[in-house]
Amino acid sequence: MLNMYFSYGKPASRLCSIFAASRDRPTGAAMPRPFTRLPEPLAFVRQFTPNWFAMTMGTGVLALVLARLPWRLPGQAALAEGLWLLDIGLFGLFALLFAARLSLFRDTVRPMLQHPVQSMFLGAIPMGLAVLLNGLVLFGVPRWGAPAVGLAHALWWADAALALGVALLVPYLMFTRQEHALDKLTGVWLLPIVAPEVAAAAAGTLLPHLDPAAARPLLVAGLVLWGVSLSLAFSLITLVLLRLALHKLPDTDFAATSWLPLGPLGTGCLGLLTLGHAAPAAFAGTPLGAAADALCGAALLGGLALWGAGLWWLAIAALFTRRYLRDDMPFNLGWWGFTFPLGVFDLATFEVLRLTGLRFFAGVGVLLAVLLAAIWLLVLQRTLRGLWHGELFRAPCLAAAAPGEDAALAGDLARKARGGGRRDGGPAGGWAAAPELALQ
């Protein structure tokens, strides 16, 4: 019953079987009506979760990657810009739905904030906005010039404030209200604290378009956000490694979280490279000019170190995923976690290519871009199917069961509490005993 609530389709043991799932329906079968599995009439508002903003992150980063490819292909620029425009529409729609939930169903806010997994996805909101801001600089400035720069500048400060607010609020709730344990830890803890780092990387993209007087405060703020985020991210990545060593891999419902540590490593590399490269121009002719020149060289060394750390995590995450594919991997919105970390690491790879000129990074970047596009298409297909049926509009923090299903739901929870549905030997109980409750 819980699988009906928070996953859909046939679990895939291989990627090819996932793609083939769309052909399971017999030829000539009638298309099912939309939203037939909504738990309640207004579920798309009341049970809208911030997880949906991970879709904007994945779509936006694909647009940026396509625009940064080292070789030009026919229609490449139009496709990249089209994806960015699509991302704007998605972000606007999701923002409206989320605002409607907060205003119309205020009783659902506290459960969301106190949920040990759902609250983490609040970090996806400023990160999704930062990706749009990057696209505004990349696609909007050539079209609209100075007005696009001014808009991007204003949006950056708003995004930075939102990212910092999430990075403070969610950890505070973790420390004071929520229940956590080491055996329940996954990479999803990184989402709220990585948001400032994503904003810092966006600042590096915007800086070359600003005059030095406007660039200096933006550069300083970006470096501060980068430091706040990366220091905490390394602490959490250390805990993730400890959890993996002691308790092994999480349940298959959390398979995508194994890719999340790649995000702060890739974004940290990208932010350090772009901020460091922009520093000399921002501080030219000031007492900090020499320090800015030194920062530019140090940023390249630090960026290469972070890129190497990200390469290790990319390899280990790929091995984890290969192991997960042997088991059932029911779909949930957490699958968008496969896209953004890979995308930002690819952007960092292209930035290293631009600064070093080494063609090795071009080959790696193109290979990662192809992989990103394939994963994005797969996850988009599964998301659209779940959206059509209405199965993805179920907020686990509300634990909403439809009338007549409470007994079955309770029975399924009891079965999981006895040990069913767990991939490793971790303790049962709570949301860890029913992990598919968490990522939807």
Side-chain angles (χ1 to χ4, degrees):
M1 179 63 66
L2 285 180
N3 282 336
M4 185 277 289
Y5 262 72
F6 301 106
S7 60
Y8 70 90
K10 296 183 177 180
S13 60
R14 296 290 187 271
L15 281 175
C16 59
S17 63
I18 298 176
F19 279 113
S22 61
R23 299 192 297 268
D24 287 346
R25 190 171 58 252
T27 303
M31 175 68 72
R33 291 180 300 168
F35 305 128
T36 54
R37 301 174 189 172
L38 280 177
E40 56 182 301
L42 289 179
F44 62 94
V45 174
R46 184 175 182 270
Q47 303 207 35
F48 183 86
T49 63
N51 305 46
W52 283 96
F53 287 94
M55 184 178 181
T56 69
M57 295 167 60
T59 302
V61 81
L62 177 60
L64 299 177
V65 166
L66 290 176
R68 296 290 178 86
L69 288 174
W71 301 297
R72 296 298 162 191
L73 301 173
Q76 172 187 339
L79 177 60
E81 188 170 353
L83 284 172
W84 174 64
L85 293 173
L86 170 64
D87 200 39
I88 293 176
L90 291 174
F91 189 91
L93 175 62
F94 295 164
L96 287 175
L97 290 173
F98 193 54
R101 173 184 172 178
L102 297 182
S103 59
L104 298 178
F105 301 100
R106 297 180 183 179
D107 59 307
T108 68
V109 176
R110 183 183 294 273
M112 177 187 65
L113 293 177
Q114 294 184 349
H115 195 276
V117 176
Q118 283 292 290
S119 59
M120 305 298 159
F121 282 90
L122 291 172
I125 301 176
M127 286 192 281
L129 180 58
V131 173
L132 291 181
L133 192 154
N134 279 314
L136 179 59
V137 174
L138 190 60
F139 304 113
V141 172
R143 284 185 175 272
W144 304 304
V149 174
L151 177 60
H153 193 191
L155 284 176
W156 186 87
W157 288 105
D159 181 71
L162 182 59
L164 191 58
V166 170
L168 290 171
L169 172 64
V170 177
Y172 175 78
L173 293 174
M174 293 174 67
F175 303 154
T176 59
R177 301 292 181 87
Q178 299 171 0
E179 294 184 4
H180 294 277
L182 181 62
D183 59 286
K184 301 177 184 179
L185 175 103
T186 67
V188 77
W189 282 23
L190 290 163
L191 290 176
I193 66 165
V194 172
E197 188 181 65
V198 177
T205 303
L206 178 60
L207 281 169
H209 301 275
L210 300 176
D211 61 80
R216 283 192 286 272
L218 188 71
L219 175 62
V220 172
L223 287 172
V224 170
L225 292 177
W226 182 88
V228 167
S229 189
L230 193 66
S231 60
L232 294 173
F234 270 116
S235 300
L236 282 181
I237 289 174
T238 302
L239 291 177
V240 170
L241 289 171
L242 177 63
R243 182 254 183 265
L244 290 172
L246 296 180
H247 301 285
K248 312 313 173 190
L249 295 180
D251 188 274
T252 52
D253 294 276
F254 288 88
T257 64
S258 61
W259 289 76
L260 295 184
L262 180 62
L265 297 173
T267 310
C269 173
L270 179 63
L272 184 58
L273 291 175
T274 55
L275 292 171
H277 187 70
F283 286 98
T286 70
L288 292 176
D293 292 335
L295 174 61
C296 184
L300 179 58
L301 296 178
L304 288 172
L306 287 171
W307 191 88
L311 183 63
W312 181 88
W313 200 278
L314 174 65
I316 202 70
L319 292 174
F320 288 165
T321 304
R322 182 178 180 273
R323 184 178 180 87
Y324 277 123
L325 287 173
R326 300 175 184 174
D327 303 320
D328 293 342
M329 285 181 60
F331 178 79
N332 56 57
L333 286 175
W335 278 32
W336 285 101
F338 288 115
T339 59
F340 186 75
L342 181 62
V344 293
F345 185 72
D346 201 12
L347 291 175
T349 303
F350 288 141
E351 187 65 19
V352 173
L353 168 66
R354 186 177 73 87
L355 296 177
T356 65
L358 298 177
R359 304 310 296 175
F360 164 78
F361 294 103
V364 173
V366 171
L367 179 63
L368 294 180
V370 172
L371 179 61
L372 173 63
I375 294 175
W376 182 85
L377 287 171
L378 167 63
V379 180
L380 177 66
Q381 177 200 31
R382 300 299 296 270
T383 302
L384 291 177
R385 289 176 59 199
L387 179 63
W388 177 266
H389 295 298
E391 293 166 330
L392 297 180
F393 292 107
R394 300 180 185 270
C397 57
L398 303 182
E405 293 181 338
D406 300 86
L409 180 61
D412 206 355
L413 280 171
R415 178 185 60 80
K416 287 182 174 291
R418 290 193 298 269
R422 292 201 314 276
R423 192 178 192 283
D424 54 34
W431 62 266
E436 63 269 35
L437 284 170
L439 291 180
Q440 202 60 296

